[in-house]
Each structure stands twice: as structure tokens, then as C-alpha cells.
Amino acid sequence: MGLSTAYSPVGSHLAPAPLGAGAAHRRSAQPHRPRRALLATVRCSVDAAKQVQDGVATAEAPPSRKDCFGVFCTTYDLKADDKTKSWKKLVSVAVSGAAGMISNHLLFKLASGEVFGQDQPIALKLLGSERSFQALEGVAMELEDSLYPLLREVSIGIDPYEVFEDIDWALLIGAKPRGPGMERAALLDINGQIFADQGKALNAVASRNVKVLVVGNPCNTNALICLKNAPNIPAKNFHALTRLDENRAKCQLALKAGVFYDKVSNVTIWGNHSTTQVPDFLNAKIDGRPVKEVIKDTKWLEEEFTMTVQKRGGVLIKKWGRSSAASTAVSIADAIKSLVTPTPEGDWFSTGVYTTGNPYGIAEDIVFSMPCRSKGDGDYELVTDVSMDDFLWERIKKSEAELLAEKKCVAHLTGEGNAFCDLPEDTMLPGEV
Ligand code: LMR
């Protein structure tokens, strides 16, 4: 496509910026997939800036494919002390659907240090489509113009095999929304194909310890497809975003109890990111007390609260005329922060994870939202000390049945034979109205 010409590199002779963890051990090109040229790279390097100041750079140096972009190379410098004493190794984060609304909120949070920390330099790798390429350039330009000191690289591309190379995190947002008259099974198939391809690309080129957060709907089953297509990456590393539902549940409980939402803890969303999801008020707490002690209106908890959370996405679409974007981006940031910072004592967070080996008796081999804790190392453990009652368990089983049905629809994408699609009638995304 020759799209790299969209940037006018002035420092092509400069030393490249330091790369992420696995950079020194790049895997060779994939036999089953042709490689494309990296479309455009925006980099900023302390060393590069220093070389400019020292006059090391010369006009005769051969052009490099990975270029330092214009003023971005020289707008800031770090004192050598800062670099050696307090800056961490670059974290490399790929974002798909990078030209979309959710990403437009998220990328600036990531670049600011709000998510990974104020001492964590970051590389952002933006994945888009041919159609969105110009918009991707616009996003990259806005990132440049923001002069974030922690943002060390920005690259844009349309080939996941290029964009995912050596990444530490994959935030998979891009997916087709369900249009009017479109069957849910068709959506599962279309989006499933995207996540099967991206799973293969992650398997081929990403860091072996990459953490993958699937946001594109139907996110639980898309995450399952993705992990099945990436057998060399631990299944435990794949997540489906249900943090938005947790945040919505916390807000509703706070409203009903007449407290600010920081008083609400231990909220689990069980199951699918759909209208069968189960916001758990049995184990949740307000000001450290069981919710049922604070909110005595059990009918409200069982009916109104549960439905409000399940259908919040749809109500938002009616108001906005499009699906939630800013709050989704906030919840993605929350989901990542929950994995890179230790979970507060006694609390937990919800995320959709692989069920095999779960202690609750939920069917194995699906992606189901459950309560988790983290030491802050990117990994997590399932919480074991949760209570169950008939109401909770019945609803968990309904969400489980839905996910098992979705799984059958995508058997052709998970390597499990022929698809057979017979979805329950009320199967809907939170945003479907
Ligand atoms: C949401 O929960 O707001 C979204 O998943 C809705 C949607 O369908 O995009």
C-alpha cells in the first residue's frame, strides 16, 4: 500500500529506541502467513535525541525501516539518572480497533501512565483496517502532539502479524457490531473469524507471556476462539472484559444504598457479557457489610438491580445512539490495573477467564466471568471463599448454558469439528435493544 510514506521521517539514521522484553529474540517469519512491511512507526528515543544534540547523526547514514518521527524525537530528553534509576523496561501494548471510539478514550489513558504506572515507558501498536488507515494516522498524530513523556513508540498497521510482534499486552477491541436484522449466530461467525486470525497471529509473534483482553463482542466466546487458536500461549492469559458490568453494578448498589461508589466492594459478575450475566449481590459488600444487610429490598436486588446491570448497555445506546465508549475504556483501564497492581486485601475483581480447573463447578473449557485476585504481576487467582445460594447458582447455570451454546456455534473456529448453532432466544449482548 505504500502507506509508510504518510510519515516523513527526518531521523531515519538515528539509533532505534529500546525495544520490549522479547525484542532481542524475534521469531522468524511465519511459514503460513506472508509478512508485510510495518506501515508506519513513530518512535522517540532518549539515545536518539542525545545523538542529535551530540551531532553524531550524519546525512550519509543508511535509512532505517523503523524511523524516528520528526519533532517527536527531540521534544524531550530524560536525564541519564532518571533512565537508569527509575524507568522500567518498555511495555509493548497492541490495541485493535485503534481508530474507534473506545480506543480514542483508552489510548490517551495508556500513554499518560495512568494505567501501567508513572515509571513505565510504553510502546503503543495500533491495529486497524485498510479502511481506517487514515484515521489511524490521525490517532498517531494526536498521540504525538500530546507529548507524553512515557510514550516511547507508536506504530500503526493493518497486519496483526506485524503489529503483535513481541507485544506484552493485546487489547482486542475491534469487532463488527451486530446490525439490524443480523442473526447473532452470524455475528459469532464474522467476529469469531477475526479473533481466530488474531489468535493465530498472537501465537506466532507475541511474547509468550502476552496478556490478552478481548473487548469485541461477543467477548467471552471471542476470547475462547482466540485462545484456542493460540495454543503456545497459556489459556490463563486470555480475558474477556466484564469489568464494565462490575462497574455498572457497583454504581447501582451505591445509588440504592445512598453511598458513594467507593464504599462498594467484592462485586462479582458471573458468566457471559450478555443479558444472562449475573451481578452477584450475595457476596458483594457495602462499607464492609454484606449488601443484603444494607439493602433489605430483596425484590429490588433480584429483579431491578439485576436487570438494570444486564441491560445497561442497551439503555445507553438508546440515549447516545451508539454504544458505550468512554466507560468501556475506563473499565479496560481498570481491568489492566487490577492485574498490574495487587488487589486490595479482602477484595476482588471480575474478569472473564478460562474455566478449566475452576473451583465452583462451572463447565470447563469456556470463558466465564468469575471473581479473581492478583498479586500485581499480571497474573491472577480465582477467589475460593465465595458463597452460593439457589438464586445465584440457577442464574449462573443459565449464563453457562448460553456460553456452551455459543461455543457449539463456533466449533469450526476452535478446531472442534462442525458448528451447530442453536442459541437460546433471549441471548443478547448488553447493548442490543
Ligand atoms: C456494553 O455493554 O455497553 C456493550 O457491550 C454494548 C454493545 O453491544 O456494544
Side-chain angles (χ1 to χ4, degrees):
M1 287 174 73
L3 292 166
S4 57
T5 55
Y7 286 108
S8 48
V10 297
S12 57
H13 42 279
L14 300 177
L19 296 172
H25 314 285
R26 286 177 192 280
R27 279 158 289 283
S28 56
Q30 300 69 56
H32 56 289
R33 182 71 199 246
R35 306 296 299 273
R36 294 186 197 204
L38 191 68
L39 293 170
T41 303
V42 180
R43 275 167 188 261
C44 195
S45 159
V46 177
D47 300 333
K50 189 169 181 312
Q51 282 190 3
V52 170
Q53 286 158 15
D54 293 351
V56 173
T58 62
E60 306 90 59
S64 149
R65 196 165 62 89
K66 293 184 173 170
D67 297 316
C68 183
F69 180 66
V71 72
F72 192 40
C73 301
T74 53
T75 44
Y76 74 90
D77 199 356
L78 297 171
K79 292 194 179 69
D81 271 6
D82 287 345
K83 191 184 163 200
T84 50
K85 282 185 193 154
S86 59
W87 286 58
K88 292 182 183 165
K89 199 162 60 180
L90 192 75
V91 65
S92 182
V93 182
V95 178
S96 79
M101 291 283 288
I102 298 172
S103 299
N104 203 249
H105 290 278
L106 178 66
L107 289 166
F108 294 82
K109 286 178 170 296
L110 295 170
S112 74
E114 174 189 330
V115 179
F116 287 99
Q118 294 300 335
D119 57 351
Q120 177 60 72
I122 186 167
L124 289 176
K125 301 181 145 205
L126 315 185
L127 179 64
S129 60
E130 254 178 84
R131 197 172 43 86
S132 70
F133 193 82
Q134 281 217 355
L136 276 188
E137 289 182 304
V139 174
M141 286 163 67
E142 283 210 86
L143 284 166
E144 264 191 301
D145 295 345
S146 302
L147 305 184
Y148 289 115
L150 291 165
L151 182 59
R152 307 298 305 285
E153 291 183 26
V154 176
S155 62
I156 61 181
I158 60 172
D159 182 351
Y161 284 84
E162 285 288 347
V163 175
F164 292 166
E165 194 165 322
D166 294 321
I167 54 166
D168 305 303
W169 288 80
L171 310 178
L172 304 183
I173 298 169
K176 190 178 168 67
R178 182 168 162 182
M182 186 192 269
E183 293 292 325
R184 185 174 166 85
L187 186 73
L188 275 166
D189 186 45
I190 293 167
N191 282 341
Q193 196 62 60
I194 296 172
F195 289 89
D197 293 346
Q198 292 183 353
K200 288 190 180 89
L202 287 167
N203 199 51
V205 299
S207 151
R208 300 301 78 183
N209 199 27
V210 63
K211 306 290 187 286
V212 183
L213 177 60
V214 176
V215 179
N217 278 317
C219 61
N220 294 55
T221 298
N222 288 340
L224 181 73
I225 294 167
C226 200
L227 74 86
K228 291 283 181 181
N229 283 278
N232 297 332
I233 296 168
K236 201 183 177 199
N237 292 13
F238 290 77
H239 298 257
L241 184 79
T242 55
R243 184 53 169 269
L244 177 57
D245 307 302
E246 178 187 319
N247 291 354
R248 289 168 171 169
K250 281 181 169 160
C251 183
Q252 294 307 311
L253 290 172
L255 268 169
K256 181 75 175 173
V259 298
F260 197 59
Y261 38 68
D262 66 335
K263 299 281 188 291
V264 185
S265 66
N266 301 82
V267 173
T268 307
I269 299 295
W270 296 91
N272 201 1
H273 176 65
S274 77
T275 51
T276 67
Q277 68 176 268
V278 191
D280 175 353
F281 54 82
L282 180 66
N283 292 286
K285 292 182 180 160
I286 295 175
D287 233 344
R289 293 166 61 207
V291 159
K292 286 176 96 172
E293 271 180 38
V294 180
I295 300 173
K296 300 264 181 349
D297 186 348
T298 306
K299 190 169 153 48
W300 180 85
L301 287 168
E302 289 183 354
E303 292 172 16
E304 202 175 320
F305 164 67
T306 302
M307 257 164 48
T308 301
V309 178
Q310 288 170 334
K311 298 193 170 167
R312 182 78 161 177
V315 174
L316 257 157
I317 287 177
K318 270 196 190 153
K319 304 263 181 208
W320 261 121
R322 56 149 178 83
S323 63
S324 59
S327 58
T328 305
V330 169
S331 73
I332 295 169
D334 288 344
I336 299 169
K337 279 190 269 181
S338 289
L339 292 168
V340 299
T341 49
T343 310
E345 187 64 35
D347 203 359
W348 59 68
F349 57 90
S350 308
T351 177
V353 287
Y354 193 52
T355 49
T356 296
N358 81 85
Y360 316 112
I362 292 160
E364 308 243 308
D365 204 31
I366 52 177
V367 171
F368 203 86
S369 184
M370 300 184 281
C372 297
R373 293 181 52 79
S374 175
K375 295 188 180 74
D377 54 0
D379 203 2
Y380 63 88
E381 298 303 328
L382 294 174
V383 175
T384 47
D385 53 336
V386 289
S387 305
M388 277 293 162
D389 63 8
D390 288 348
F391 179 89
L392 185 55
W393 187 242
E394 237 173 64
R395 274 153 186 77
I396 285 176
K397 292 305 277 181
K398 194 172 170 207
S399 207
E400 178 197 87
E402 180 182 55
L403 280 166
L404 289 169
E406 287 187 16
K407 183 181 163 187
K408 283 191 187 151
C409 292
V410 298
H412 59 304
L413 298 171
T414 56
E416 280 156 31
N418 293 331
F420 170 73
C421 210
D422 183 21
L423 292 169
E425 257 184 40
D426 63 354
T427 302
M428 289 177 91
L429 299 170
E432 287 174 332
V433 282

